[in-house]
Amino acid sequence: MAVAAGAWLSIGASALAEEAVPGRPLLSAAMDDRQMVTLEGNTRSEARVAANDRRAVADSLPLDHIQLQLKRSAAQERTVEDFVDSLTDRASPNYHHWLTAAEFGRRFGVADADVSRITGWMKAKGLKVNFVYPSRMVIDFSGTAGQVSRAFNTEIHRLDVGGAAHIANTRDPQVPAALAPAVEGIVSLHDFRPRSKMVRRPMHADARHPDVTGTCFGQRCYVVGAGDLATIYGLTPLFRAGFTGTGQVVAAVEDTNLYANSDWTTFRKAFGLDAYTAGNLQIVHPAPSGGSACGNPGINGDDGEAVLDVEWASAAAPAATIELASCRNTATTDGVFMAIQNLVNSDTPPPVISVSYGLCEVDNGAAENASFNKLYQLAVSRGISVFVATGDAGATDCSDSTANGTSIGIGVSGWAVTKYNVAVGGTDFRDTYDSRRATYWSANTGAPWSTAKSYVPEMPWDDTCANQMIANYYSSGSSVPYGANGFCNSRDGASFHELGGGEGGPSGCYSGRASEEHVVSGTCKGYPKPVFQKGFLGMPGDGVRDIPDVALFASDGSAWSHNYATCYTDPAGGG
């Protein structure tokens, strides 16, 4: 018996070791479409509300460039995580030995045999396999709604959600049990798009004030210029020492082009950045290696976000190449995600990627949340730093509108919660609250319009009536935010009935399925707390990833009269 037990342990250990080898095939069972496995947590909550349903879409509806996310075994995943961690460990022989996407695919991607089995099954179902990404973790495919529905045993319906037309799958997709060990899920089978993380409220620097002071929500304000950013955050000594971004590329990922590329040039000239002659702007629509999944999106209502991103990336790195990378949405895959995927998998990726979009973690779905984790993991293996905005909706990323309150609890962006990205939050300056504007800001000194004297003390950005500091400063009656007679229910507080503010909080629904619309509930589980967040003073002992990691000034000026200046000429967007 002892010999048999020892033999069993030996065989078990050997099997586990084999399973842990990345690239080793995981699929061996015979294919049987009668044995299906449900990919749970991949149906939008709106699609489960009967009142929203407007029947199935036509079977002939084309669904192009859908992405099937593949997966490794748990043991293989631990092996990959250890390798990626070693790339930033100075004591490791792997330190900064970055990989190409193809090298990563050969070492850590799903085995060729497994990819062949999966793509063979897809083709047998009438689906078109467009290409497999070099990382060998994602398959890009197309088909009609009927083909996709029959292959994955789901249905694609039209929805009416609050008057807005959408399409989405109405139940979690399924795959044959024989393929399930290597399939994470379909990244998206709906057209609910990520939101720009810029609060869309009017902000104007009055043209009559060339000192870049102006009007913020009807009151005089000090607008932050490029020189102010350098003064406040200590960039000036770095610029003088030659650290200006020369030879670097910063990719701002968008879902639109700029209204006018000349806005970027005008911004640089106004703030003296054109002295850094190496700085330039490039507009790219990144196609994947071996594929063509990236159409030109043209110009849409997010071009105000795009101009903010490229101009201020240039302010922080004036001699760098600023790359606006954008792709057109398909019926079920949004262009921002596609652009990130294509950049990270490209032959010549940018060393820095900035993402100003996101989608509530609860609504994102388990497959898309996992897909971002794998995508940013690949980015780290390539030496790419990915910075993701946590959002501008204060306590929750899951609210339908920043113009309304929320009753759905805390929620964070699923695009920002992995341990492989830097989650960037927002602060506000507190000089107005402290009545110390003159301490930190000087009068106009002419071009390039820099008026900040030094670092300006910061506080969390929170433009809601629930903010005790706003209640203290603006109330002509009660300074208590809550209650029937509190600031939020007063005439003074009515101006702050909004969710504007820097987002942050604990990951709550990285995996699992919510039982309530937009709410962390049901079988939801948060992203596990990474090692770098453990044991720090003030870090919650909640066992999950908390965001943001860093924060800097991001306010829109509605409460404390500071915002960023941009050059933006699109009249449709208030430019």
Side-chain angles (χ1 to χ4, degrees), residues 357-401:
Y357 293 77
L359 198 61
C360 170
E361 186 185 39
V362 174
D363 297 331
N364 220 26
E368 187 163 341
N369 285 334
S371 186
F372 272 104
N373 189 60
K374 296 290 192 296
L375 180 55
Y376 295 159
Q377 181 188 67
L378 172 63
V380 173
S381 78
R382 307 205 63 193
I384 303 170
S385 298
V386 182
F387 297 86
V388 187
T390 59
D392 295 346
T396 180
D397 195 75
C398 304
S399 174
D400 292 330
S401 171

Short mmCIF file of all heavy atoms in Angstrom, two decimals, residues 357-401:
data_model
loop_
_atom_site.label_atom_id
_atom_site.label_comp_id
_atom_site.label_asym_id
_atom_site.label_seq_id
_atom_site.Cartn_x
_atom_site.Cartn_y
_atom_site.Cartn_z
N TYR A 357 -10.10 55.53 -20.98
CA TYR A 357 -11.43 54.95 -21.12
C TYR A 357 -11.57 53.79 -20.14
O TYR A 357 -10.60 53.27 -19.61
CB TYR A 357 -11.66 54.44 -22.55
CG TYR A 357 -11.73 55.55 -23.57
CD1 TYR A 357 -10.57 56.18 -24.01
CD2 TYR A 357 -12.95 56.00 -24.07
CE1 TYR A 357 -10.62 57.22 -24.93
CE2 TYR A 357 -13.02 57.02 -24.99
CZ TYR A 357 -11.85 57.63 -25.42
OH TYR A 357 -11.91 58.66 -26.32
N GLY A 358 -12.81 53.39 -19.93
CA GLY A 358 -13.02 52.26 -19.04
C GLY A 358 -14.49 51.88 -19.00
O GLY A 358 -15.36 52.56 -19.54
N LEU A 359 -14.73 50.76 -18.35
CA LEU A 359 -16.08 50.24 -18.20
C LEU A 359 -16.17 49.61 -16.82
O LEU A 359 -15.24 48.95 -16.35
CB LEU A 359 -16.37 49.19 -19.28
CG LEU A 359 -17.83 48.84 -19.56
CD1 LEU A 359 -18.60 50.06 -20.05
CD2 LEU A 359 -17.91 47.74 -20.63
N CYS A 360 -17.28 49.84 -16.17
CA CYS A 360 -17.50 49.33 -14.82
C CYS A 360 -17.16 47.85 -14.72
O CYS A 360 -17.55 47.05 -15.57
CB CYS A 360 -18.97 49.57 -14.45
SG CYS A 360 -19.52 48.78 -12.94
N GLU A 361 -16.40 47.50 -13.70
CA GLU A 361 -15.94 46.13 -13.51
C GLU A 361 -17.11 45.14 -13.48
O GLU A 361 -17.03 44.05 -14.06
CB GLU A 361 -15.15 46.04 -12.20
CG GLU A 361 -14.50 44.72 -11.92
CD GLU A 361 -13.84 44.69 -10.56
OE1 GLU A 361 -14.41 45.26 -9.60
OE2 GLU A 361 -12.75 44.10 -10.44
N VAL A 362 -18.20 45.51 -12.82
CA VAL A 362 -19.37 44.63 -12.73
C VAL A 362 -19.95 44.36 -14.12
O VAL A 362 -20.36 43.24 -14.45
CB VAL A 362 -20.46 45.25 -11.83
CG1 VAL A 362 -21.73 44.43 -11.86
CG2 VAL A 362 -19.95 45.39 -10.41
N ASP A 363 -19.99 45.42 -14.95
CA ASP A 363 -20.61 45.30 -16.27
C ASP A 363 -19.65 44.76 -17.32
O ASP A 363 -20.07 44.30 -18.39
CB ASP A 363 -21.12 46.67 -16.74
CG ASP A 363 -22.22 47.21 -15.83
OD1 ASP A 363 -22.94 46.40 -15.23
OD2 ASP A 363 -22.34 48.45 -15.73
N ASN A 364 -18.36 44.84 -17.05
CA ASN A 364 -17.35 44.44 -18.02
C ASN A 364 -17.49 42.98 -18.41
O ASN A 364 -17.29 42.62 -19.57
CB ASN A 364 -15.96 44.67 -17.41
CG ASN A 364 -14.97 45.22 -18.41
OD1 ASN A 364 -15.35 45.87 -19.38
ND2 ASN A 364 -13.72 44.95 -18.18
N GLY A 365 -17.82 42.13 -17.46
CA GLY A 365 -17.93 40.70 -17.73
C GLY A 365 -16.63 39.98 -17.41
O GLY A 365 -15.53 40.53 -17.54
N ALA A 366 -16.74 38.73 -16.98
CA ALA A 366 -15.59 37.97 -16.53
C ALA A 366 -14.55 37.78 -17.62
O ALA A 366 -13.34 37.87 -17.37
CB ALA A 366 -16.05 36.60 -15.99
N ALA A 367 -14.99 37.53 -18.86
CA ALA A 367 -14.03 37.29 -19.94
C ALA A 367 -13.26 38.55 -20.28
O ALA A 367 -12.04 38.51 -20.50
CB ALA A 367 -14.75 36.75 -21.17
N GLU A 368 -13.95 39.70 -20.33
CA GLU A 368 -13.25 40.93 -20.67
C GLU A 368 -12.32 41.36 -19.54
O GLU A 368 -11.21 41.84 -19.78
CB GLU A 368 -14.23 42.06 -20.99
CG GLU A 368 -13.55 43.31 -21.51
CD GLU A 368 -14.49 44.26 -22.22
OE1 GLU A 368 -15.59 43.84 -22.64
OE2 GLU A 368 -14.11 45.44 -22.35
N ASN A 369 -12.74 41.18 -18.29
CA ASN A 369 -11.84 41.47 -17.18
C ASN A 369 -10.58 40.62 -17.26
O ASN A 369 -9.46 41.11 -17.09
CB ASN A 369 -12.54 41.24 -15.85
CG ASN A 369 -13.54 42.32 -15.49
OD1 ASN A 369 -13.41 43.47 -15.94
ND2 ASN A 369 -14.55 41.98 -14.71
N ALA A 370 -10.75 39.33 -17.53
CA ALA A 370 -9.60 38.44 -17.65
C ALA A 370 -8.75 38.81 -18.85
O ALA A 370 -7.51 38.69 -18.82
CB ALA A 370 -10.07 36.99 -17.77
N SER A 371 -9.40 39.27 -19.91
CA SER A 371 -8.67 39.64 -21.11
C SER A 371 -7.74 40.82 -20.86
O SER A 371 -6.59 40.84 -21.33
CB SER A 371 -9.65 39.98 -22.24
OG SER A 371 -8.95 40.21 -23.45
N PHE A 372 -8.21 41.81 -20.08
CA PHE A 372 -7.34 42.93 -19.75
C PHE A 372 -6.15 42.47 -18.90
O PHE A 372 -5.03 42.96 -19.06
CB PHE A 372 -8.13 44.02 -19.02
CG PHE A 372 -8.76 45.00 -19.95
CD1 PHE A 372 -10.12 44.96 -20.21
CD2 PHE A 372 -8.00 45.96 -20.59
CE1 PHE A 372 -10.70 45.85 -21.09
CE2 PHE A 372 -8.56 46.87 -21.47
CZ PHE A 372 -9.92 46.81 -21.72
N ASN A 373 -6.38 41.54 -18.01
CA ASN A 373 -5.29 41.02 -17.19
C ASN A 373 -4.22 40.38 -18.07
O ASN A 373 -3.02 40.64 -17.91
CB ASN A 373 -5.82 40.02 -16.18
CG ASN A 373 -4.79 39.59 -15.16
OD1 ASN A 373 -4.26 40.42 -14.41
ND2 ASN A 373 -4.50 38.31 -15.12
N LYS A 374 -4.64 39.55 -19.01
CA LYS A 374 -3.69 38.89 -19.90
C LYS A 374 -3.01 39.90 -20.83
O LYS A 374 -1.81 39.79 -21.12
CB LYS A 374 -4.42 37.84 -20.75
CG LYS A 374 -5.03 36.69 -19.96
CD LYS A 374 -3.98 35.78 -19.38
CE LYS A 374 -4.59 34.48 -18.85
NZ LYS A 374 -5.52 34.70 -17.72
N LEU A 375 -3.75 40.89 -21.28
CA LEU A 375 -3.20 41.88 -22.20
C LEU A 375 -2.15 42.74 -21.52
O LEU A 375 -1.06 42.96 -22.06
CB LEU A 375 -4.34 42.75 -22.75
CG LEU A 375 -3.99 43.84 -23.74
CD1 LEU A 375 -3.23 43.27 -24.93
CD2 LEU A 375 -5.25 44.55 -24.21
N TYR A 376 -2.44 43.22 -20.32
CA TYR A 376 -1.47 44.03 -19.60
C TYR A 376 -0.29 43.19 -19.11
O TYR A 376 0.84 43.67 -19.00
CB TYR A 376 -2.13 44.73 -18.41
CG TYR A 376 -3.19 45.75 -18.77
CD1 TYR A 376 -4.15 46.13 -17.84
CD2 TYR A 376 -3.24 46.34 -20.03
CE1 TYR A 376 -5.13 47.07 -18.15
CE2 TYR A 376 -4.21 47.27 -20.35
CZ TYR A 376 -5.16 47.64 -19.40
OH TYR A 376 -6.12 48.58 -19.72
N GLN A 377 -0.53 41.92 -18.84
CA GLN A 377 0.56 41.00 -18.50
C GLN A 377 1.53 40.89 -19.66
O GLN A 377 2.77 40.93 -19.48
CB GLN A 377 -0.02 39.63 -18.16
CG GLN A 377 0.99 38.57 -17.76
CD GLN A 377 0.34 37.19 -17.64
OE1 GLN A 377 -0.09 36.62 -18.63
NE2 GLN A 377 0.26 36.69 -16.42
N LEU A 378 0.99 40.76 -20.87
CA LEU A 378 1.82 40.74 -22.07
C LEU A 378 2.59 42.05 -22.21
O LEU A 378 3.77 42.06 -22.57
CB LEU A 378 0.95 40.48 -23.30
CG LEU A 378 1.64 40.60 -24.67
CD1 LEU A 378 2.74 39.55 -24.80
CD2 LEU A 378 0.61 40.45 -25.79
N ALA A 379 1.92 43.17 -21.91
CA ALA A 379 2.57 44.47 -22.02
C ALA A 379 3.80 44.54 -21.12
O ALA A 379 4.87 45.00 -21.53
CB ALA A 379 1.58 45.59 -21.67
N VAL A 380 3.66 44.08 -19.87
CA VAL A 380 4.79 44.11 -18.95
C VAL A 380 5.93 43.24 -19.49
O VAL A 380 7.10 43.62 -19.42
CB VAL A 380 4.37 43.61 -17.55
CG1 VAL A 380 5.60 43.47 -16.64
CG2 VAL A 380 3.37 44.57 -16.93
N SER A 381 5.62 42.09 -20.06
CA SER A 381 6.66 41.21 -20.58
C SER A 381 7.42 41.86 -21.73
O SER A 381 8.56 41.47 -22.02
CB SER A 381 6.06 39.88 -21.05
OG SER A 381 5.44 40.02 -22.33
N ARG A 382 6.81 42.88 -22.34
CA ARG A 382 7.43 43.57 -23.46
C ARG A 382 8.09 44.88 -23.03
O ARG A 382 8.63 45.60 -23.88
CB ARG A 382 6.40 43.83 -24.54
CG ARG A 382 5.64 42.58 -24.99
CD ARG A 382 5.12 42.72 -26.40
NE ARG A 382 6.21 42.88 -27.34
CZ ARG A 382 6.06 43.26 -28.60
NH1 ARG A 382 4.85 43.54 -29.07
NH2 ARG A 382 7.10 43.40 -29.41
N GLY A 383 8.01 45.20 -21.74
CA GLY A 383 8.60 46.44 -21.26
C GLY A 383 7.73 47.65 -21.49
O GLY A 383 8.22 48.79 -21.48
N ILE A 384 6.43 47.45 -21.68
CA ILE A 384 5.49 48.54 -21.90
C ILE A 384 4.85 48.94 -20.58
O ILE A 384 4.36 48.09 -19.85
CB ILE A 384 4.38 48.12 -22.89
CG1 ILE A 384 4.97 47.64 -24.22
CG2 ILE A 384 3.39 49.27 -23.12
CD1 ILE A 384 3.95 46.98 -25.13
N SER A 385 4.85 50.22 -20.30
CA SER A 385 4.17 50.74 -19.11
C SER A 385 2.78 51.21 -19.53
O SER A 385 2.65 52.05 -20.43
CB SER A 385 4.95 51.92 -18.51
OG SER A 385 6.23 51.51 -18.09
N VAL A 386 1.75 50.68 -18.88
CA VAL A 386 0.36 51.01 -19.22
C VAL A 386 -0.25 51.80 -18.06
O VAL A 386 -0.31 51.32 -16.93
CB VAL A 386 -0.48 49.75 -19.48
CG1 VAL A 386 -1.90 50.13 -19.88
CG2 VAL A 386 0.16 48.90 -20.59
N PHE A 387 -0.69 53.02 -18.35
CA PHE A 387 -1.32 53.88 -17.36
C PHE A 387 -2.81 54.01 -17.71
O PHE A 387 -3.15 54.37 -18.84
CB PHE A 387 -0.67 55.26 -17.36
CG PHE A 387 0.78 55.24 -16.96
CD1 PHE A 387 1.78 54.99 -17.90
CD2 PHE A 387 1.15 55.44 -15.64
CE1 PHE A 387 3.12 54.95 -17.54
CE2 PHE A 387 2.49 55.41 -15.26
CZ PHE A 387 3.47 55.16 -16.22
N VAL A 388 -3.68 53.71 -16.74
CA VAL A 388 -5.11 53.67 -17.00
C VAL A 388 -5.84 54.60 -16.02
O VAL A 388 -5.66 54.49 -14.80
CB VAL A 388 -5.68 52.24 -16.86
CG1 VAL A 388 -7.14 52.20 -17.28
CG2 VAL A 388 -4.85 51.26 -17.68
N ALA A 389 -6.65 55.50 -16.54
CA ALA A 389 -7.42 56.40 -15.70
C ALA A 389 -8.47 55.62 -14.92
O ALA A 389 -9.15 54.75 -15.48
CB ALA A 389 -8.11 57.47 -16.55
N THR A 390 -8.60 55.91 -13.63
CA THR A 390 -9.62 55.22 -12.83
C THR A 390 -11.00 55.79 -13.08
O THR A 390 -12.00 55.10 -12.89
CB THR A 390 -9.30 55.32 -11.33
OG1 THR A 390 -9.24 56.69 -10.95
CG2 THR A 390 -7.99 54.63 -11.02
N GLY A 391 -11.09 57.06 -13.49
CA GLY A 391 -12.40 57.62 -13.81
C GLY A 391 -12.70 58.90 -13.07
O GLY A 391 -12.00 59.30 -12.13
N ASP A 392 -13.77 59.56 -13.49
CA ASP A 392 -14.15 60.88 -12.98
C ASP A 392 -15.54 60.89 -12.37
O ASP A 392 -16.18 61.94 -12.31
CB ASP A 392 -14.11 61.91 -14.12
CG ASP A 392 -12.71 62.12 -14.66
OD1 ASP A 392 -11.76 61.70 -14.00
OD2 ASP A 392 -12.57 62.71 -15.75
N ALA A 393 -16.03 59.75 -11.92
CA ALA A 393 -17.40 59.68 -11.40
C ALA A 393 -17.44 59.46 -9.90
O ALA A 393 -18.42 58.93 -9.37
CB ALA A 393 -18.18 58.58 -12.12
N GLY A 394 -16.37 59.84 -9.21
CA GLY A 394 -16.39 59.76 -7.75
C GLY A 394 -16.45 58.34 -7.22
O GLY A 394 -15.60 57.51 -7.52
N ALA A 395 -17.50 58.06 -6.44
CA ALA A 395 -17.57 56.79 -5.72
C ALA A 395 -17.83 55.59 -6.61
O ALA A 395 -17.56 54.46 -6.20
CB ALA A 395 -18.66 56.88 -4.65
N THR A 396 -18.35 55.79 -7.78
CA THR A 396 -18.74 54.62 -8.56
C THR A 396 -18.49 54.81 -10.04
O THR A 396 -18.76 55.87 -10.60
CB THR A 396 -20.22 54.27 -8.35
OG1 THR A 396 -20.55 53.11 -9.13
CG2 THR A 396 -21.13 55.41 -8.74
N ASP A 397 -17.97 53.78 -10.67
CA ASP A 397 -17.81 53.77 -12.12
C ASP A 397 -19.04 53.21 -12.80
O ASP A 397 -19.14 53.23 -14.02
CB ASP A 397 -16.59 52.91 -12.49
CG ASP A 397 -16.13 53.14 -13.92
OD1 ASP A 397 -15.53 54.19 -14.18
OD2 ASP A 397 -16.39 52.26 -14.77
N CYS A 398 -19.98 52.71 -12.01
CA CYS A 398 -21.10 51.96 -12.57
C CYS A 398 -22.36 52.80 -12.78
O CYS A 398 -23.36 52.29 -13.29
CB CYS A 398 -21.43 50.77 -11.66
SG CYS A 398 -20.03 49.66 -11.39
N SER A 399 -22.34 54.06 -12.38
CA SER A 399 -23.50 54.90 -12.57
C SER A 399 -23.69 55.21 -14.05
O SER A 399 -22.73 55.34 -14.81
CB SER A 399 -23.34 56.22 -11.80
OG SER A 399 -24.39 57.10 -12.08
N ASP A 400 -24.94 55.33 -14.46
CA ASP A 400 -25.24 55.61 -15.86
C ASP A 400 -24.85 57.02 -16.27
O ASP A 400 -24.62 57.30 -17.43
CB ASP A 400 -26.73 55.41 -16.15
CG ASP A 400 -27.13 53.94 -16.06
OD1 ASP A 400 -26.28 53.09 -16.34
OD2 ASP A 400 -28.29 53.67 -15.69
N SER A 401 -24.81 57.94 -15.31
CA SER A 401 -24.54 59.33 -15.64
C SER A 401 -23.91 60.04 -14.47
O SER A 401 -24.34 59.88 -13.33
CB SER A 401 -25.84 60.06 -16.03
OG SER A 401 -25.63 61.45 -16.15
#
